Structure formats: structure tokens, C-alpha cells
Amino acid sequence: MSDNRLPAHVEIAGMIRSVQAAGGFATVLHKGERDAGAICVIATHNGHNSTLWERMPQLDGSRKFVATKTQDTENKTDFEEYLARRLRQDPDSWQIELDIENAERFIAV
């Protein structure tokens, strides 16, 4: 890897362990490329009001997690279809779910 980022599997393992240590539930929904796969984090609390966080390039060249999609309580299938589309676009990406109150605190925003 040419930059100083952690390998994807290490970063994901850290997020999952942190959430579990705080009493939440975390799991890998789709396993991507071990070292450099994009990471999509679904933050939820008791399975409701999910938000998708993806690392996006910033103007200063950094890459920060940004909330890109929020689950519509009236149309939950739209969120699931979006996740499926993301996987088709990038099959090497990871999808993980963090189910804990204020899940954003476990994402390096």
C-alpha cells in the first residue's frame, strides 16, 4: 500500500471489537478485499434508522467517512437496494453493520 492507511481488515476488526466491548452488536455483512477494499459502515440502533457511512475523498486529499444514505422509515427496501447496488458496483468493498446507540462515534469521521 502506498499510503499510511490501515489494511481494511484491521480497521474493520477494530471497529467491531470496539462496538462489542461497548455492549453493541457488530458484524461483517460482506467481506471485501482484505487490504484495500472500500469500507461501507451501516450504523443502526436496534435495527432501525440505519445510516450508510462511506469513506469519500476530500478537497484536501484526505479520505473521511461521510453519511451517504439514510434509511427511509416509509421505504426500507430503498436502503437495501442501494446497498446491493453498491456491492454490484464494487464487489471488493466491505459492508459492516454496527448496531449500537450513537454508532457514529465508532467510525473515524
Side-chain angles (χ1 to χ4, degrees), residues 33-83:
E33 204 283 324
R34 179 176 168 83
D35 292 325
I39 301 172
C40 299
V41 180
I42 298 118
T44 189
H45 184 239
N46 294 328
H48 301 293
N49 302 322
S50 299
T51 300
L52 176 65
W53 292 80
E54 299 181 78
R55 192 174 278 137
M56 305 297 266
Q58 304 298 305
L59 292 174
D60 64 2
S62 65
R63 296 174 55 81
K64 296 181 181 176
F65 277 99
V66 176
T68 58
K69 182 82 172 163
T70 302
Q71 185 180 43
D72 180 359
T73 55
E74 300 294 319
N75 184 5
K76 293 183 180 185
T77 58
D78 180 56
F79 189 78
E80 293 165 10
E81 289 170 0
Y82 182 82
L83 294 175

Side-chain angles (χ1 to χ4, degrees), residues 75-103:
N75 184 5
K76 293 183 180 185
T77 58
D78 180 56
F79 189 78
E80 293 165 10
E81 289 170 0
Y82 182 82
L83 294 175
R85 243 186 345 266
R86 285 291 292 120
L87 276 180
R88 284 192 304 272
Q89 293 167 349
D90 185 3
D92 289 336
S93 66
W94 292 76
Q95 286 187 356
I96 66 170
E97 182 177 296
L98 308 179
D99 193 337
I100 190 168
E101 189 172 7
N102 298 320

Side-chain angles (χ1 to χ4, degrees), residues 6-39:
L6 288 173
H9 73 279
V10 173
E11 186 174 357
I12 289 165
M15 276 192 247
I16 289 173
R17 286 193 176 149
S18 295
V19 168
Q20 291 172 339
F25 174 79
T27 191
V28 174
L29 300 174
H30 181 268
K31 195 173 190 175
E33 204 283 324
R34 179 176 168 83
D35 292 325
I39 301 172

